[in-house]
Amino acid sequence: MKIKDLIRIGTERLKDAGVKTPLTDTQLLLSFVLKLPRWKLITEREEDVPKEKVMEFISLIERRAQREPLAYITGEKAFYGLDFKVKQGVLIPRPETEILVEEVLKRIPENEKFIGLEVGVGAGVISVSLLKYRDNLYMYAVDISEKALELTRENAKIHKVSTRLKLFRSDLFKNIPQIKFDFIVSNPPYVSAREYLDLEEEVKKEPVEALVADKEGLEFYEKIVKEGKIYLKEKGFFGFEIGYRQAEKVREILEKEGFNVKIYRDLQHHDRVIIGEKE
């Protein structure tokens, strides 16, 4: 069977299954199976594909047709110019989170030792990205999920930042050493139980505990700010990703504890990142 035939078959199957980007996903999966860049699928569209590769591709297309997220199928996801390993049971990195990394990096001097803490490290994309782009940064990171911590260790090793990352299994701050940090960063669960019902099927394949929070999605912002402020240095700051309708509520939480707030929007012009700096 030729490459062009597989693209047609895959696209039709994913379109029938209600996948929003059937052609793109088909090309990505075929590129993954054949270990070819996507552009070569066009230039080599008349090439025959070995039978075992055809079977592998069809198998992956069926998984995607069941609305399994693409990143779980391929086991990888690009984030902030780096490639990360991704596994089922751990939240998949989103492009919007790159804005959080960008804003935190702006506040980390390149030639000065800095120490940060990430609450809810997940796959490690925030901490690892920060460490990769700041050689004098040291990160502590926590997660309640051992699977997430194992995945972060793997990603930190791949990107050669393991020696500057300390990981702890902890429910928020319970197992954190009594030290002061220059900043605390987090992309916590922020979806309300009501909002969760309307999420796409792919998102519901991800761990619900990494998505949903009580108090209309504000639970962890309140806890992290109230409990975490004692861990910040005198001029320390918080950096959060937020739901697009949560900016004012999270602003109130930070300002109540004495922080100056700046809000940043994503490419869709939604409020997406909030920075709280000590006055």
Side-chain angles (χ1 to χ4, degrees), residues 253-270:
I253 292 169
L254 283 161
E255 288 182 343
K256 186 177 179 181
E257 299 296 337
F259 290 84
N260 289 320
V261 172
K262 293 181 180 179
I263 297 168
Y264 302 89
R265 291 183 171 182
D266 60 23
L267 294 176
Q268 283 71 47
H269 301 289
H270 294 144

Side-chain angles (χ1 to χ4, degrees), residues 29-170:
L29 288 173
L30 188 55
S31 175
F32 175 75
V33 169
L34 298 180
K35 295 179 172 54
L36 290 174
R38 280 176 68 188
W39 64 268
K40 277 200 171 186
L41 299 179
I42 306 301
T43 61
E44 300 182 10
R45 60 185 178 274
E46 297 293 339
E47 293 293 318
D48 288 318
V49 178
K51 184 177 180 180
E52 64 273 15
K53 292 295 185 181
V54 172
M55 298 303 293
E56 181 183 355
F57 171 72
I58 294 299
S59 173
L60 298 189
I61 284 290
E62 282 306 310
R63 288 173 62 183
R64 186 68 187 97
Q66 298 302 314
R67 310 299 289 274
E68 184 176 346
L70 192 67
Y72 285 162
I73 297 172
T74 63
E76 57 191 29
K77 181 76 173 179
F79 181 88
Y80 209 74
L82 305 171
D83 292 325
F84 287 88
K85 297 291 184 183
V86 178
K87 294 180 181 177
Q88 288 188 345
V90 181
L91 193 70
I92 297 170
R94 265 66 169 182
E96 294 84 359
T97 309
E98 294 182 356
I99 302 167
L100 177 58
V101 171
E102 182 71 26
E103 291 304 324
V104 172
L105 281 174
K106 289 177 183 177
R107 292 164 171 80
I108 302 175
E110 292 192 23
N111 300 310
E112 182 181 334
K113 182 180 177 181
F114 244 51
I115 303 176
L117 169 67
E118 182 179 3
V119 179
V121 72
V125 297
I126 295 175
S127 285
V128 171
S129 297
L130 292 174
L131 290 166
K132 191 70 176 177
Y133 293 104
R134 289 294 182 271
D135 293 337
N136 292 311
L137 174 65
Y138 294 80
M139 289 294 300
Y140 287 67
V142 304
D143 206 291
I144 201 169
S145 165
E146 186 58 43
K147 182 177 286 189
L149 295 172
E150 290 174 2
L151 185 57
T152 294
R153 288 189 191 98
E154 184 177 355
N155 282 321
K157 185 176 181 180
I158 289 169
H159 293 292
K160 298 179 172 59
V161 298
S162 298
T163 58
R164 293 185 285 123
L165 176 63
K166 293 183 181 295
L167 295 171
F168 299 86
R169 187 172 186 181
S170 178

